[in-house]
Amino acid sequence: MGWTCEHSADSAASKEAVWRRYADVTQWRDWSPAIEWARLDGPFQVGTKGKSKARGAPAGRFRLVRVEPNVAFASTTWLPGARLLFEHLIEPRDTGLRITHRATLSGPLSPLYTRRIRSLTEHSLPEGVDRLAKTTG
């Protein structure tokens, strides 16, 4: 059994403005309170690896597994016996757009990681989405 955390917020920003914030990995810390630093070892495209450090956690490697400009991107981190997937979605609305971030922990050993991942994510993920929705312009 896995674990998921999701939060959405409406924004008056353009999808291009949100996408620029996503693609600028070194600045993720500006809108995500959980991130101390992040870097990407190549272009913002599927297959590129990166590394990030969440507050209160060791640095970890991730790989971009979905990149659709102005629509969505996703990254995955492999843990022994589990996978942590972060999805970032931009959905057009009649006025503006909706930004959704989702974290999903899955795999046979995911229960071993759930408590720690939950404590790092359940407050920072909503705050990050809300910051991004309010400050992107």
Side-chain angles (χ1 to χ4, degrees):
M1 189 68 156
W3 166 85
T4 298
C5 177
E6 178 177 312
H7 183 74
S8 298
D10 293 332
S11 177
S14 70
K15 61 187 176 186
E16 294 83 6
V18 174
W19 189 257
R20 281 191 299 273
R21 303 288 301 272
Y22 285 158
D24 190 356
V25 175
T26 61
Q27 299 304 309
W28 283 356
R29 68 181 183 273
D30 290 349
W31 53 266
S32 178
I35 304 240
E36 286 186 22
W37 55 264
R39 71 165 197 256
L40 201 57
D41 301 332
F44 197 79
Q45 65 186 32
V46 171
T48 300
K49 294 178 183 177
K51 193 169 188 178
S52 65
K53 167 114 177 44
R55 297 184 195 290
R61 303 234 8 115
F62 65 88
R63 178 188 298 260
L64 296 176
V65 295
R66 178 181 179 192
V67 177
E68 295 179 52
N70 301 320
V71 175
F73 89 91
S75 65
T76 191
T77 297
W78 290 98
L79 305 165
R83 178 182 104 151
L84 179 58
L85 176 70
F86 280 101
E87 298 172 279
H88 306 76
L89 310 167
I90 304 168
E91 302 168 278
R93 294 284 187 245
D94 289 339
T95 57
L97 49 90
R98 174 164 289 171
I99 299 168
T100 301
H101 291 183
R102 180 182 308 119
T104 305
L105 182 63
S106 61
L109 297 182
S110 62
L112 297 175
Y113 303 101
T114 300
R115 185 174 181 196
R116 181 70 175 143
I117 299 295
R118 178 181 285 153
S119 71
L120 290 170
T121 307
E122 286 189 342
H123 297 289
S124 63
L125 188 137
E127 185 178 341
V129 173
D130 291 344
R131 276 188 192 179
L132 191 61
K134 290 177 187 171
T135 63
T136 302

